[in-house]
């Protein structure tokens, strides 16, 4: 967590009370919660509504489970949480790191209003699925009178938000507290209410310390404030590209990359690098405990042999340049 986010969480813990309660302490908490909501909207440049959640997975469950749409379309490389939230969704193939446009067009021509879910940055490969600025997928959805949902867990607070009707964000991905996130909704009329808190769209006592931490993390600045520069992160990628196969479909961000070890399995690489002091993943964190090949890598067309040797390397806000150098040395040592 960022220092500012940790301090905001502690302050929220001091004034915590159930913000849905009408007593004085509850009203103080409600005021702080609404202030945090306004700060999150301002920091993200979002003009719609904000529903605080327990994280991105819950945000996706609310969006896909209660959207007023007839059909759900999702890209083949979405996070597992998308497939759990919409088990019957129509799956769109991916080509060269982007949703294939012809299959999407055919799917949107079928009867019934569709919601299309595509992540901003893929959490396993760092592929920027929506690019930056104008995106043909969004344009196709708009022309078909569909709704567009963007999972921005890996990009919110780092890159501008895409043009979407609903957006999912997560606080701990940008230095905020774990266990809090938000579903950004352009208009509440897009969702069926469920009763409970958050204006009737999410049940459960509001996480005031988490919301304050979330707002503080967003206000602390984007990637410009990170310990490494864009140039240093790209140099790190180039160095590793000389030593390993980088699984890099499409346009890539600078803070996530997928590497295939020369010989060792992803599980063996994870164990050996962890022993040296580096925390890497095999697949996304929510599915990295399984020994099955990553569904995401399969969706990108990665071969089974490379997929079983692929690990995910992520650079955080507090990763130092010397730590990148040490990682390259450790990679050489483990794969010697």
């Amino acid at each position: 967590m960022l220092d500012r986010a940790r301090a905001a969480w502690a302050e929220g813990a001091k004034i915590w009370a159930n913000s849905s309660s009408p007593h004085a302490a509850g009203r103080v908490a409600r005021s702080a919660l609404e202030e945090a909501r306004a700060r999150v909207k301002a920091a993200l440049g979002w003009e719609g509504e904000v529903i605080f959640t327990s994280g991105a997975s819950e945000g996706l469950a609310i969006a896909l489970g209660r959207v007023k749409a007839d059909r759900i379309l999702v890209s083949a490389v979405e996070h597992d949480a998308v497939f759990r939230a919409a088990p019957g969704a129509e799956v769109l193939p991916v080509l060269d790191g982007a949703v294939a446009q012809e299959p999407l067009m055919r799917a949107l021509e079928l009867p019934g209003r569709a919601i299309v879910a595509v992540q901003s940055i893929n959490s396993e490969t760092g592929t920027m699925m929506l690019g930056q600025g104008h995106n043909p997928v969004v344009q196709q959805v708009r022309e078909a009178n569909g709704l567009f949902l963007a999972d921005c867990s890996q990009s919110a607070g780092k890159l501008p938000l895409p043009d979407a009707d609903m957006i999912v964000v997560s606080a701990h991905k940008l230095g905020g507290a774990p266990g809090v996130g938000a579903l950004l909704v352009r208009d509440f009329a897009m969702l069926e209410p469920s009763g409970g808190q958050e204006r009737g769209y999410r049940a459960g006592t509001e996480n005031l310390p988490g919301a304050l931490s979330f707002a503080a993390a967003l206000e602390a600045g984007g990637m410009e404030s990170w310990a490494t520069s864009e140039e240093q992160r790209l140099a790190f990628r180039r160095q590793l590209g000389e030593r390993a196969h980088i699984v890099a479909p499409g346009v890539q961000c600078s803070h996530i990359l997928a590497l295939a070890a020369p010989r060792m399995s992803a599980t063996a690489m994870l164990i050996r690098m962890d022993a040296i002091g580096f925390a890497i993943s095999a697949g996304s964190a929510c599915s990295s405990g399984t020994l099955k090949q990553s569904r995401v890598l399969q969706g990108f067309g990665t071969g089974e042999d490379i997929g079983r040797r692929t690990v995910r390397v992520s650079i955080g806000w507090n990763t130092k340049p010397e730590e990148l150098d040490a990682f390259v040395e450790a990679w050489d040592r483990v794969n010697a």
Side-chain angles (χ1 to χ4, degrees), residues 167-188:
I167 293 176
V168 167
V169 295
S170 177
H172 78 269
K173 297 293 187 183
L174 45 88
V180 64
L183 172 62
L184 313 184
V185 185
R186 198 174 296 282
D187 187 340
F188 277 143

Side-chain angles (χ1 to χ4, degrees), residues 223-229 232-233 316-321 323:
M223 297 182 78
E224 297 80 7
S225 65
W226 283 25
T228 55
S229 66
Q232 289 168 327
R233 295 191 293 272
W317 65 267
N318 58 346
T319 304
K320 301 178 178 63
E323 291 172 331

Side-chain angles (χ1 to χ4, degrees), residues 35-102:
E35 180 185 354
R37 197 186 313 275
R39 290 165 59 196
V40 166
K41 289 175 61 173
L44 290 172
W46 181 251
E47 296 181 356
E49 307 291 347
V50 172
I51 301 172
F52 282 121
T53 66
S54 62
S57 293
E58 187 190 12
L60 290 165
I62 294 172
L64 295 173
R66 301 215 297 276
V67 64
K68 293 179 181 178
D70 304 299
R71 301 160 55 229
I72 298 175
L73 311 178
V74 305
S75 89
V77 297
E78 293 304 299
H79 193 280
D80 283 345
V82 169
F83 291 90
R84 288 194 296 268
E90 301 168 54
V91 180
L92 300 168
V94 169
L95 181 65
D96 297 328
V99 173
Q101 292 187 43
E102 286 191 15

Side-chain angles (χ1 to χ4, degrees), residues 4-5 51 158 169 205 246 315 322:
R4 284 177 60 176
I51 301 172
K158 306 178 182 76
V169 295
T205 304
I246 296 183
I315 301 171
E322 56 267 28

